[in-house]
């Protein structure tokens, strides 16, 4: 899975949106006949989230044209990862409730397509979901950042048992692969700094300091030095 797709603008124009609690970012790749475009929007105060999102999206679309599809990556610690084989065995709301995630009256549950046999489920304002899914001539595709890191692992040359760690501005996505490179764990936690990162990984690795940690994303440089003090091998993919 490539975040922005590999097609040029002449054949397929893809707009990627990264939506998080404190704001969002837009990204459209460069291609034949068009330039790379990006924009960052912060949500302050939080109660203006839906209105700010709507205004930002309309401004971006008006400035940079229309797109064939939207890829929306929702970065939230309220994500639940469920095997595709059992995701339909109960309602999305039930899956979230089992993991202690409650829905507000304004929210609905988004269920992503499966990647590597796993679906991501997360709550999101129904108004936001409707706005994206009802855009004329455009197809909304929902993803979790976890699916990005899982795809990065499959593209990489990493082999054997390891943790794949993807820190974002607000959360950290952790997947664990066994010696046969089968997915054994997928979790997301709030991330406020280095201490959180070390604590989560120490608990998940059962304090095994020989565990291999594979960092992914645009923030690995920040966390690699501290993790190298606690774990035997820390690499970047």
């Amino acid at each position: 899975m490539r975040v922005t797709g590999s097609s040029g603008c002449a054949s397929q124009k893809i707009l990627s949106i990264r939506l998080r609690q404190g704001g969002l970012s837009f990204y459209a790749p460069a291609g034949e006949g068009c330039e790379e475009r990006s924009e960052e929007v912060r949500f302050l105060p939080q109660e203006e989230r839906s209105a700010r999102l709507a205004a930002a999206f309309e401004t971006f679309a008006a400035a940079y044209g229309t797109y064939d599809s939207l890829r929306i990556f929702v970065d939230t610690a309220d994500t639940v990862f469920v095997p595709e084989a059992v995701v339909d065995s109960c309602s999305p709301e039930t899956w979230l409730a089992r993991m202690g995630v409650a829905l507000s009256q304004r929210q609905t549950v988004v269920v992503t397509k499966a990647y590597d046999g796993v679906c991501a489920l997360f709550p999101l304002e129904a108004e936001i979901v409707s706005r994206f899914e009802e855009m004329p001539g455009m197809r909304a595709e929902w993803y979790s950042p976890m699916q990005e890191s899982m795809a990065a692992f499959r593209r990489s040359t990493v082999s054997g048992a390891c943790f794949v760690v993807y820190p974002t501005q607000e959360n950290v996505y952790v997947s664990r692969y066994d010696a046969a490179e089968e997915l054994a764990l997928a979790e997301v936690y709030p991330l406020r700094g280095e201490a959180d990162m070390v604590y989560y990984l120490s608990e998940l690795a059962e304090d095994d300091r020989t565990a291999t940690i594979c960092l992914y994303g645009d923030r690995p440089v920040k966390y690699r030095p501290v993790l190298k003090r606690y774990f035997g091998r820390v690499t970047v993919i």
Side-chain angles (χ1 to χ4, degrees):
M1 177 196 310
R2 294 181 62 86
V3 177
T4 55
S6 58
S7 301
C9 293
S11 58
Q12 186 181 24
K13 296 173 67 177
I14 299 172
L15 174 61
S16 290
I17 298 175
R18 188 168 301 274
L19 180 61
R20 61 186 188 278
Q21 195 69 16
L24 62 89
S25 58
F26 295 92
Y27 175 74
E32 183 179 348
C34 67
E35 299 178 354
E36 179 179 306
R37 304 287 187 176
S38 63
E39 184 172 318
E40 185 85 14
V41 178
R42 296 186 65 191
F43 295 139
L44 292 173
Q46 180 61 30
E47 57 266 22
E48 295 182 1
R49 173 178 160 101
S50 296
R52 292 290 304 278
L53 172 62
F57 182 81
E58 290 171 2
T59 299
F60 192 95
Y64 304 132
T66 58
Y67 297 83
D68 300 308
S69 64
L70 300 173
R71 292 184 178 178
I72 311 155
F73 295 80
V74 180
D75 183 8
T76 171
D78 287 336
T79 305
V80 173
F81 303 101
V82 181
E84 181 183 17
V86 299
V87 71
D88 291 330
S89 63
C90 62
S91 69
E93 293 78 9
T94 300
W95 279 117
L96 263 62
R98 287 177 176 177
M99 299 303 295
V101 179
L103 293 180
S104 73
Q105 293 183 343
R106 297 184 301 170
Q107 291 180 317
T108 186
V109 183
V110 174
V111 181
T112 70
K113 291 183 179 180
Y115 181 82
D116 220 4
V118 175
C119 298
L121 289 70
F122 45 78
L124 193 60
E125 291 93 327
E127 176 187 348
I128 293 175
V129 175
S130 296
R131 177 172 293 275
F132 284 146
E133 294 190 341
E134 294 174 2
M135 290 298 297
M138 296 169 57
R139 182 181 70 258
E141 301 171 348
W142 298 93
Y143 296 99
S144 165
M146 175 67 82
Q147 294 167 312
E148 288 183 88
S149 67
M150 293 166 69
F153 172 75
R154 294 304 184 192
R155 294 194 305 267
S156 75
T157 59
V158 176
S159 61
C162 67
F163 288 89
V164 178
V165 181
Y166 181 11
T168 66
Q169 292 187 38
E170 297 173 348
N171 304 295
V172 58
Y173 295 81
V174 182
S175 52
R176 185 176 67 201
Y177 293 87
D178 61 23
E181 299 175 23
E182 295 295 327
L183 182 67
L185 173 144
E187 298 282 355
V188 56
Y189 305 100
L191 182 64
R192 298 177 183 84
E194 295 177 348
D196 283 349
M197 178 81 82
V198 172
Y199 172 75
Y200 296 144
L201 291 175
S202 296
E203 289 292 306
L204 292 173
E206 298 179 346
D207 211 23
D208 177 9
R209 299 308 171 96
T210 65
T212 297
I213 308 297
C214 300
L215 286 164
Y216 169 72
D218 58 359
R219 298 166 64 82
V221 173
K222 176 179 179 180
Y223 293 101
R224 187 177 185 182
V226 67
L227 291 178
K228 285 181 70 67
R229 297 203 300 265
Y230 289 89
F231 298 95
R233 185 184 180 197
V234 181
T235 63
V236 175
I237 59 173

